[in-house]
Amino acid sequence: MSSHRAPRRRRARHSGTTLTSQAERIMIAQIVSHTPTYVWALLAFLLYRGALASRDRELAMRALFVIPAVMIGLSLSSMSGHGALGGGVWAVWLLGVLAGAVVTWRLGSGIPVVVDRAAGTVLQRGSWAPLLLMIAIFCTKYAVAVTTAMHPELAQNPAFATAVTLLFGLFNGVFVGRLARYVAAWMAQPEPVAA
């Protein structure tokens, strides 16, 4: 008798797991299908720009501001002074930005920056780090949106809000620190003398 019950229990446990995984698949499909088209367009843009950043290339100085500005805008669009942290959200974000910028500045201090002020260009060394950071910000923003849609109470949780805001600040700080290194190198080079 006991030999017949064991397989039934195993089957019941297995079918419960199957139902759970089916429900999860349906939920994920609904999340993806309800994601606005512009979100996927933004992801494609970030992947494109990240792939470009993986190769050495000369850029106009003003072009170096594009991705940090987009990433900061993406982060700030997720934050509000009316949430769990109130107006303190900006202080937490700024703390993260400063920490990320300082670490990036220090880690990159030994890497030379090549500037040509006469041509108005900076040589950007190829790196996969910008792509990873862009994807990290995108995924964090997406995950936070999905999580708070499924659990609205988290939007008023100070610990959750602090962690997310600090994380956005750190990510943005890396872009700011990298940009600051290019700007400092640009300012350190003498202006070209007109012929």
Side-chain angles (χ1 to χ4, degrees), residues 25-37 40 142 146:
R25 275 189 241 124
I26 290 168
M27 185 175 66
I28 290 168
Q30 286 179 341
I31 290 168
V32 171
S33 68
H34 286 88
T35 300
T37 306
W40 303 120
Y142 192 82
V146 169

Side-chain angles (χ1 to χ4, degrees), residues 21-89:
S21 63
Q22 276 182 326
E24 288 170 353
R25 275 189 241 124
I26 290 168
M27 185 175 66
I28 290 168
Q30 286 179 341
I31 290 168
V32 171
S33 68
H34 286 88
T35 300
T37 306
Y38 76 87
V39 172
W40 303 120
L42 177 62
L43 178 60
F45 170 75
L46 296 177
L47 291 172
Y48 169 72
R49 290 302 297 242
L52 285 180
S54 70
R55 293 174 288 187
D56 288 0
R57 60 198 178 117
E58 282 192 357
L59 294 171
M61 185 63 190
R62 67 182 176 279
L64 293 173
F65 287 82
V66 172
I67 289 298
V70 169
M71 293 296 98
I72 287 172
L74 196 58
S75 293
L76 292 179
S77 69
S78 298
M79 297 167 17
S80 167
H82 302 293
L85 301 179
V89 70

Side-chain angles (χ1 to χ4, degrees), residues 117-118 186-192:
R117 279 189 87 161
W186 179 271
M187 299 304 286
Q189 190 175 71
E191 284 196 51

